[in-house]
Amino acid sequence: MDIFNGFSQSSFSPIKCIDMHTTGEPTRIIIAGYPDLPGDTLLEKRQQAKDHYDHLRLRLMLEPRGHWDMYGALLIQETEFVKSGEADIGVLFMHNDGYSTMCGHATIALGRFLVDTHDRGVFPRRNHLHFDPDKDITIVRLHAPCGVVQIAVPTMQDGKSADYQRRVSFISTPAFASAVQVPVEIPPEKRWPELNGRTSIILDVSCGGTFYAIVSARELGFPSGLRKVDMDAMGRCVKLLKSHLVASPEFANYIKHPTTPDLSFLYSVMVVDDDLGVVPEGSGGAETGLCYFADHQIDRSPTGSCVVARMALAHRKGLRRVGQRWTYHSLVSNAYGGNGGFTASIVEEVEIEGNGKGVLVEVEGKACYTGSMTLIAEDCDPIAKSGFSMKSVSL
């Protein structure tokens, strides 16, 4: 029974969602109830969501329906690439501070869900997906703001549902390192105690569908790396660093996308530890990362789009060859004995307009369902209408 049947339809605005997680990082998939977004392109629809429906992002992501670290994926049934036959469905990613251009953990979750669903109202092109009965794999072409991402979803022999025991993989859009071993001068007001008197650090910048500043935990002044890291101290450090980077005219040169201006911003600081992480069978090695993205949001997963960026960076440095498998962990996957790590390999080298050589990267991981729900906002409820966070309320 629908518990909302007795309510007046004017008293609430229902939005239907499926919740999943990938290595503990949530993906709230919005499947119905969100207004249609005008625009000929996915990026135009993204701008419409920003300009006219941002209160719905806040409602879906923040309290009391979500939390500061919630993540969302809004399905867009028709985009320019869906119309042309280059994609099966589109998506807009959202978080506590706005809208991402790419997200690997959500792509893995979406791959499984889009194979499992047979609701044509949710996914009109579900029956057009290509199922390979020899490999028991279904291909989903997902139009993300950064481009079309191809997802390979292990599927049961009847082709009707995903095989949850096997890992989903996706092939990235072209990825590239835009800056290697960049010295960054830290002004006095932005320095953190762990620098111990140093005035600068060295970091890298790489794009895996969005731009990441990638820096070693030890370079930041944490000699034990990410092993038993002081999260409060690391959080303060990264907040100071990112605020400096986004305001720096010099750093802006490293985050200019060669073809898509909408991607020209710093999305995240990824803190890495190359000496930490379980190495699974068949992988050449492992490392761990702690990702701070959006408005100081912490990714529980190994961060799929940054795995792509880190593979592109390692290839640029001569550390990864085409076909070499490497495993990337988060603090969560390490805490569970390596379960939930993402494994990646470079598929091929590509030319990137205006930026020289880049790579295509395949990333694989596993997502699970956590629930389904209808979220409402009653007219009599000003507190929850647009969502809130304890970070933004004060007496």
Side-chain angles (χ1 to χ4, degrees), residues 173-194:
T173 55
F176 58 93
S178 58
V180 177
Q181 294 293 280
V182 177
V184 175
E185 188 73 22
I186 309 297
E189 69 275 11
K190 296 293 184 179
R191 293 172 192 164
W192 51 93
E194 289 76 16

Side-chain angles (χ1 to χ4, degrees), residues 133-354:
D134 295 325
K135 298 180 180 178
D136 290 332
I137 293 286
T138 299
I139 299 299
V140 181
R141 298 167 303 166
L142 182 70
H143 183 188
C146 66
V148 177
V149 179
Q150 181 170 293
I151 314 171
V153 184
T155 310
M156 304 302 285
Q157 290 184 343
D158 61 7
K160 294 182 178 180
S161 60
D163 181 352
Y164 66 89
Q165 295 187 8
R166 295 189 287 158
R167 289 155 66 89
V168 172
S169 65
F170 68 87
I171 296 177
S172 72
T173 55
F176 58 93
S178 58
V180 177
Q181 294 293 280
V182 177
V184 175
E185 188 73 22
I186 309 297
E189 69 275 11
K190 296 293 184 179
R191 293 172 192 164
W192 51 93
E194 289 76 16
L195 281 175
N196 289 322
R198 287 187 297 140
T199 62
S200 66
I201 62 169
I202 303 292
L203 54 74
D204 301 303
V205 185
S206 191
C207 183
T210 190
F211 280 99
Y212 292 87
I214 302 170
V215 60
S216 163
R218 293 174 178 84
E219 179 68 16
L220 293 176
F222 295 82
S224 298
L226 292 176
R227 193 180 301 274
K228 296 183 179 180
V229 64
D230 182 335
M231 292 294 287
D232 289 337
M234 182 63 79
R236 287 191 296 270
C237 158
V238 171
K239 199 164 193 175
L240 287 166
L241 174 60
K242 187 177 180 184
S243 67
H244 170 57
L245 295 177
V246 298
S248 167
E250 294 83 7
F251 188 78
N253 296 321
Y254 304 127
I255 53 174
K256 289 181 179 178
H257 197 275
T259 61
T260 312
D262 270 18
L263 274 60
S264 298
F265 64 96
L266 179 63
Y267 179 56
S268 165
V269 172
M270 170 62 86
V271 183
V272 298
D273 184 339
D274 294 344
D275 299 323
L276 179 63
V278 178
V279 182
E281 185 178 352
S283 179
E287 57 193 71
T288 295
L290 175 58
C291 179
Y292 293 84
F293 68 97
D295 188 358
H296 213 55
Q297 191 165 339
I298 297 175
D299 196 338
R300 277 67 173 159
S301 84
T303 311
S305 50
C306 195
V307 165
V308 173
R310 289 157 75 185
M311 287 293 281
L313 176 64
H315 184 69
R316 168 84 174 269
K317 291 180 174 181
L319 301 175
R320 300 282 183 278
R321 63 181 183 276
V322 174
Q324 183 180 14
R325 288 170 61 82
W326 206 261
T327 297
Y328 294 84
H329 287 290
S330 65
L331 299 186
V332 174
S333 67
N334 279 332
Y336 285 86
N339 285 312
F342 292 174
T343 297
S345 60
I346 295 169
V347 177
E348 62 176 297
E349 297 177 339
V350 294
E351 290 292 329
I352 295 180
E353 180 183 342

Side-chain angles (χ1 to χ4, degrees), residues 4 7 11-15 59 65 374-378 381 384:
F4 301 122
F7 285 75
S11 68
F12 64 90
S13 302
I15 297 179
R59 182 185 301 175
R65 302 169 190 86
T374 300
L375 301 175
I376 67 167
E378 293 192 277
D381 184 7

